[in-house]
Amino acid sequence: MITINEHYKKLQASYLFSDIAKRVAAHQQAHPDQRIIKLGIGDVTKPLPTACIEAFHQAVDEMGREESFRGYGPEQGYPFLRESIAKHDFQDRGATISADEIFVSDGAKCDTGNIQELFSTDIVVAIPDPVYPVYLDTNVMAGRTGTYENGRYSGVVYLESLRENNFIPALPATPVDLIYLCFPNNPTGSTISRAELQTWVDYARDNRALILFDAAYEAFIRDESLPKSIFELDGAEEVAIEFRSFSKSGGFTGTRCAYTVVPKACMAYDSSGKPQSLHDLWHRRHSTKFNGVSYPVQRAAEALYSANGKRQAKELIEYYLDNAALIRTAMTELGYACVGGDHSPYIWIEGRGDSWQFFDRLLQQAGVVCTPGAGFGKCGAGYIRLSAFNSRENVEEAMERIKQSFG
Amino acid sequence: MITINEHYKKLQASYLFSDIAKRVAAHQQAHPDQRIIKLGIGDVTKPLPTACIEAFHQAVDEMGREESFRGYGPEQGYPFLRESIAKHDFQDRGATISADEIFVSDGAKCDTGNIQELFSTDIVVAIPDPVYPVYLDTNVMAGRTGTYENGRYSGVVYLESLRENNFIPALPATPVDLIYLCFPNNPTGSTISRAELQTWVDYARDNRALILFDAAYEAFIRDESLPKSIFELDGAEEVAIEFRSFSKSGGFTGTRCAYTVVPKACMAYDSSGKPQSLHDLWHRRHSTKFNGVSYPVQRAAEALYSANGKRQAKELIEYYLDNAALIRTAMTELGYACVGGDHSPYIWIEGRGDSWQFFDRLLQQAGVVCTPGAGFGKCGAGYIRLSAFNSRENVEEAMERIKQSFG
């Protein structure tokens, strides 16, 4: 008899986005003439940079001619892209990451979801709360948690991010083996300083733990004193893996390209305590279960590192950051405590009730859709997330409406 | 302490392709003027069909304009592609598969590798020998096998495909829960009749087993009496999942698009014997660990179903099949027992010694590269695989050289 992976039964059905959709649809039906403005989802709205479009077309043409056609590429990505990444995103910032430590993929969601396969199922996992739900769900599926009760899975160490700790969790009080961190954070938009991040690296080194650092939003960091990569920190290459994405930095959410950095110095241990190269393990996983990213997509991603591509991508980011500033200013003026938005497309706003009440009020009084913080973890229960991914006009109008009905 | 998934240590280092590369390089160095012809790898060489290139360009243009830009798409693929697939690949052939049973992905390698996550680790898995190595390796990684000894993992039921059984394995003699089948087969090129495949479906129904049917090479089937999909068989929708790919049918090995069919009627069981929908489980897995295929790539794949796209893809297949016929005829005339090549791009050739001796002889005497059968399993030890994926000129010259030195 074919039996299922019973751990899937522990997963909580995610009603978040369907609940949102239902409430929005009901509101729209009751107010058919109102133009609802969506500041909920974390998806880009501006087109791909011209430099990417040009490179994309050129590579598609190559695929149409016998002499330049490309079949299977290297599973880890083409050297042209891996070398651009290593140089521009790391070496130019003083991080000694080499091209062969970069694994190009079709998404940071896949990579952050798949990476846990490399580890034993009996490790202790530390996961921020609130955070992007993929880290937790994929560990539930793999059997690293107990059952769900009162908003929490047993067996998981939750790293609570609250106003009290400035949305930077404290080091775990009990021993942990695997630590997920995400900065700039999704959903809070909070950032971490070099000194604070160094304490995590030091903790991992002292405890033979491993940090999975999700830097999908690094492009939004404007303050040069903040680390964009964990590999800018001393000793991180021995205890950290980093995830990056072109989704937000280049508008690639529908184009699909990302990468993961697994330094050759980074080790885990077998049951006898012998170090094992995580680079080799991920290479094996990548080669066995993945067949590389579409060649034209890799060329489009490479174009983000050209002079034009860099400038155009920076314009995209500035555009969204200007939106974010409008949102944060407006909500702060209305008396709400806000974090994020300065080095992040997300503004995390503390309500005066639960997240769903806040959601309903924004929808009913202003016709604006947000994401209720409860969808990101127990600690998000009193908050909402507003996203800067929309047109300037829509953001301005949304803030105007909120001011009028909430002011 | 962060500890690894120890099952990875059971994996055998795959030296196959690096061994081939080393021997080819040594031969080239000794014969610098010889043009080596590679009929080893299963990778297409002809450019993408014009219909795909046009659709690809058009979609890239859409991504460059604000009004037509697309961010995140549905994880399961856009309806335009899922509907085309359901209609042309299934409904038009009498298989009642609907669009929402199709999961579009970036590769059949990923899907055949990831699907095993849905199942308990203590099931018994049946895997053909010889076959594409991903099925076995991903089950080793997940801990469904014992250790490796004498060319075999303990705990696995190997389905032997040999000349004696016409390269169609017999039903397992001991109970199994999960069965991998691949027809037209990689590497043997053998096909399975409707009646033979029905015995597997009936076995699965009688034993509450599940069949994972890899139909990546179905486009090469010319005999209309052979099944292209397992869902053409009675009752298969309750006991089978099917994998398809545009890699070979449309030349997409470097463009990346594939799909998996999980019928809503297909069930596995929980430990209490209660049926569980595999469609729901795969949907959850797909939504949690995957973010959809690049939008322009999905448009390029959709174009394969247009009138022009169908004609152009058929021309590609015919081209490779004509190559295959040349290879099979030549090798048969030289007295070798061959299978495959009639409904497959692969010809499986029985040697008169071990596969590596045959490989060396072909390389040294004819300057032709094949794949030694031993790389696909213990039963491949006496065989080599020749691939039809090359230009007509190269195939003709390779056969001429082989005739002259082996004849």
Side-chain angles (χ1 to χ4, degrees):
Chain A
M1 183 173 78
I2 178 73
T3 50
I4 64 161
N5 172 354
E6 299 255 342
H7 301 303
Y8 271 62
K9 292 172 88 174
K10 298 177 196 161
L11 288 167
Q12 299 309 296
S14 173
Y15 295 122
L16 181 72
F17 289 102
S18 65
D19 270 6
I20 292 176
K22 267 183 221 159
R23 293 185 196 212
V24 171
H27 179 79
Q28 186 75 81
Q29 200 166 15
H31 305 83
D33 298 331
Q34 191 182 39
R35 198 173 64 86
I36 293 175
I37 299 175
K38 294 185 181 175
L39 301 181
I41 201 157
D43 193 4
V44 299
T45 56
K46 303 282 284 180
L48 288 186
T50 315
C52 298
I53 294 290
E54 284 165 8
F56 213 152
H57 275 306
Q58 200 177 318
V60 170
D61 279 334
E62 286 178 53
M63 297 300 267
R65 291 191 304 264
E66 186 132 9
E67 65 279 14
S68 53
F69 175 77
R70 304 221 188 189
Y72 291 120
E75 283 107 348
Q76 286 70 37
Y78 276 102
F80 63 77
L81 180 55
R82 300 171 83 189
E83 282 160 15
S84 291
I85 291 168
K87 179 180 184 320
H88 295 277
D89 289 346
F90 298 97
Q91 293 159 10
D92 285 359
R93 295 186 57 85
T96 52
I97 295 296
S98 62
D100 61 356
E101 294 174 317
I102 309 288
F103 294 79
V104 176
S105 83
D106 65 324
K109 183 180 183 183
C110 315
D111 289 348
T112 55
N114 291 330
I115 193 82
Q116 47 75 32
E117 289 178 27
L118 304 191
F119 310 113
S120 163
T121 50
D122 58 7
I123 54 168
V124 177
V125 181
I127 297 182
D129 177 2
V131 88
Y132 182 53
V134 168
Y135 317 149
L136 183 58
D137 286 353
T138 54
N139 276 291
V140 173
M141 289 167 161
R144 287 193 193 85
T145 73
T147 51
Y148 188 81
E149 236 169 294
N150 299 321
R152 290 277 167 93
Y153 286 95
S154 60
V156 174
V157 172
Y158 288 89
L159 303 170
E160 300 198 341
S161 307
L162 297 158
R163 186 156 44 138
E164 293 70 48
N165 58 22
N166 204 21
F167 302 95
I168 307 290
L171 292 173
T174 54
V176 303
D177 307 307
L178 185 64
I179 301 160
Y180 289 81
L181 292 177
C182 174
F183 291 106
N185 187 264
N186 177 11
T188 72
S190 63
T191 52
I192 191 164
S193 72
R194 221 169 269 270
E196 285 163 330
L197 188 53
Q198 188 69 56
T199 66
W200 285 92
V201 171
D202 294 344
Y203 173 91
R205 293 172 63 92
D206 292 345
N207 294 277
R208 295 207 284 185
L210 181 76
I211 298 171
L212 299 177
F213 190 72
D214 187 346
Y217 294 92
E218 60 74 33
F220 293 88
I221 295 178
R222 283 197 276 204
D223 178 348
E224 278 297 313
S225 77
L226 295 172
K228 281 177 167 258
S229 166
I230 196 168
F231 300 120
E232 296 172 28
L233 282 293
D234 286 343
E237 69 282 359
E238 293 174 17
V239 292
I241 287 172
E242 182 166 303
F243 305 95
R244 291 279 190 103
S245 172
F246 299 106
S247 283
K248 311 298 156 80
S249 65
F252 269 53
T253 53
T255 303
R256 315 298 317 138
C257 198
Y259 65 87
T260 290
V261 188
V262 190
K264 292 194 173 164
C266 189
M267 295 291 151
Y269 302 88
D270 65 16
S271 53
S272 70
K274 196 177 150 210
Q276 302 284 330
S277 161
L278 284 171
H279 184 277
D280 290 352
L281 288 174
W282 186 242
H283 191 283
R284 182 71 203 227
R285 198 269 167 209
H286 219 68
S287 310
T288 304
K289 300 194 189 179
F290 185 61
N291 234 332
V293 171
S294 184
Y295 169 69
V297 171
Q298 291 192 59
R299 282 291 185 199
E302 182 197 22
L304 287 168
Y305 295 101
S306 67
N308 277 340
K310 278 186 176 181
R311 187 177 42 73
Q312 291 162 3
K314 190 157 182 279
E315 284 166 9
L316 277 183
I317 297 292
E318 294 293 336
Y319 183 89
Y320 294 128
L321 281 172
D322 288 348
N323 283 351
L326 286 175
I327 296 170
R328 179 152 175 178
T329 303
M331 297 307 288
T332 305
E333 282 173 8
L334 288 170
Y336 290 99
C338 298
V339 63
D342 33 12
H343 309 289
S344 158
Y346 300 129
I347 300 93
W348 187 241
I349 301 161
E350 195 173 343
R352 290 150 197 159
D354 95 343
S355 353
W356 280 106
Q357 284 174 343
F358 202 168
F359 173 92
D360 284 334
R361 226 186 123 198
L362 271 176
L363 179 61
Q364 283 157 20
Q365 298 183 13
V368 172
V369 181
C370 68
T371 308
F376 300 99
K378 202 172 180 175
C379 291
Y383 296 81
I384 59 155
R385 187 188 79 175
L386 283 177
S387 154
F389 294 123
N390 211 315
S391 69
R392 181 67 36 79
E393 301 67 37
N394 279 344
V395 168
E396 283 172 347
E397 185 176 333
M399 292 308 114
E400 199 47 51
R401 290 192 202 166
I402 293 173
K403 275 184 203 166
Q404 288 190 0
S405 45
F406 283 54
Chain B
M1 183 173 79
I2 178 74
T3 49
I4 64 161
N5 173 354
E6 299 257 342
H7 301 303
Y8 271 62
K9 293 173 88 174
K10 297 177 197 162
L11 288 166
Q12 300 309 296
S14 171
Y15 295 122
L16 181 73
F17 289 102
S18 64
D19 270 7
I20 292 175
K22 265 184 222 159
R23 293 185 197 213
V24 171
H27 178 78
Q28 186 75 83
Q29 200 166 16
H31 305 83
D33 297 331
Q34 190 183 39
R35 199 174 64 86
I36 292 175
I37 298 175
K38 295 185 179 174
L39 300 182
I41 201 158
D43 193 4
V44 298
T45 55
K46 303 283 284 179
L48 288 186
T50 315
C52 298
I53 293 290
E54 284 165 7
F56 213 152
H57 275 306
Q58 199 177 317
V60 169
D61 279 334
E62 286 178 53
M63 298 299 267
R65 290 191 304 263
E66 186 133 9
E67 65 278 14
S68 53
F69 175 77
R70 304 223 188 187
Y72 290 120
E75 284 106 349
Q76 286 70 38
Y78 277 102
F80 63 76
L81 180 55
R82 300 171 83 190
E83 283 159 16
S84 291
I85 291 168
K87 178 181 184 321
H88 295 277
D89 289 347
F90 298 97
Q91 293 159 8
D92 285 358
R93 295 187 57 84
T96 53
I97 294 295
S98 63
D100 61 357
E101 295 175 315
I102 308 290
F103 294 78
V104 176
S105 83
D106 65 324
K109 183 181 183 182
C110 315
D111 289 347
T112 55
N114 291 330
I115 194 80
Q116 46 75 32
E117 289 178 27
L118 303 191
F119 310 112
S120 163
T121 50
D122 58 8
I123 53 168
V124 177
V125 181
I127 297 183
D129 177 1
V131 89
Y132 183 52
V134 168
Y135 317 148
L136 183 59
D137 286 354
T138 55
N139 276 291
V140 173
M141 289 167 161
R144 287 192 194 87
T145 72
T147 52
Y148 188 81
E149 235 169 295
N150 298 322
R152 291 276 168 96
Y153 285 94
S154 60
V156 174
V157 172
Y158 288 89
L159 302 171
E160 300 197 342
S161 307
L162 296 158
R163 186 156 44 137
E164 292 71 47
N165 57 23
N166 204 21
F167 302 95
I168 307 290
L171 292 173
T174 54
V176 304
D177 307 307
L178 185 64
I179 301 161
Y180 289 82
L181 292 177
C182 175
F183 290 105
N185 187 262
N186 177 10
T188 71
S190 63
T191 51
I192 192 164
S193 72
R194 219 170 270 270
E196 285 163 330
L197 188 53
Q198 188 69 56
T199 67
W200 285 92
V201 171
D202 294 344
Y203 172 92
R205 292 171 64 91
D206 292 345
N207 294 275
R208 295 207 284 184
L210 181 77
I211 298 172
L212 300 176
F213 191 72
D214 187 347
Y217 293 92
E218 60 73 33
F220 293 88
I221 296 178
R222 283 196 277 204
D223 178 348
E224 279 297 312
S225 77
L226 295 171
K228 281 177 167 257
S229 165
I230 196 167
F231 300 120
E232 297 172 27
L233 282 294
D234 286 344
E237 68 284 358
E238 293 174 18
V239 292
I241 288 173
E242 181 166 303
F243 305 95
R244 292 279 190 104
S245 172
F246 299 106
S247 283
K248 310 299 157 77
S249 65
F252 269 52
T253 54
T255 302
R256 316 298 318 137
C257 197
Y259 65 87
T260 290
V261 188
V262 190
K264 292 194 173 162
C266 188
M267 295 290 152
Y269 302 88
D270 65 16
S271 52
S272 71
K274 196 177 152 209
Q276 302 284 330
S277 161
L278 285 171
H279 184 276
D280 290 351
L281 288 175
W282 185 242
H283 191 283
R284 182 71 203 228
R285 197 271 167 207
H286 219 68
S287 310
T288 304
K289 301 193 189 180
F290 185 60
N291 233 332
V293 171
S294 184
Y295 169 69
V297 170
Q298 292 192 59
R299 282 292 185 199
E302 182 197 21
L304 288 168
Y305 296 100
S306 66
N308 278 340
K310 278 187 176 180
R311 187 178 40 76
Q312 292 161 4
K314 191 158 181 280
E315 283 166 9
L316 277 182
I317 297 293
E318 294 293 335
Y319 184 89
Y320 295 128
L321 281 173
D322 288 349
N323 283 350
L326 286 176
I327 296 170
R328 179 151 175 179
T329 303
M331 297 306 289
T332 304
E333 282 174 7
L334 287 169
Y336 289 99
C338 298
V339 63
D342 34 12
H343 309 289
S344 157
Y346 300 129
I347 300 93
W348 188 241
I349 302 162
E350 195 173 344
R352 288 151 197 162
D354 94 344
S355 355
W356 281 106
Q357 283 174 344
F358 202 168
F359 173 92
D360 284 334
R361 226 184 124 200
L362 271 177
L363 179 62
Q364 282 157 20
Q365 297 183 13
V368 172
V369 181
C370 68
T371 307
F376 299 99
K378 202 172 180 176
C379 291
Y383 295 80
I384 60 157
R385 187 188 78 177
L386 282 177
S387 154
F389 293 123
N390 211 315
S391 68
R392 180 66 36 80
E393 300 67 38
N394 280 343
V395 168
E396 283 172 345
E397 184 176 334
M399 292 308 113
E400 199 46 51
R401 288 192 202 166
I402 293 173
K403 276 183 204 166
Q404 288 191 359
S405 46
F406 283 53

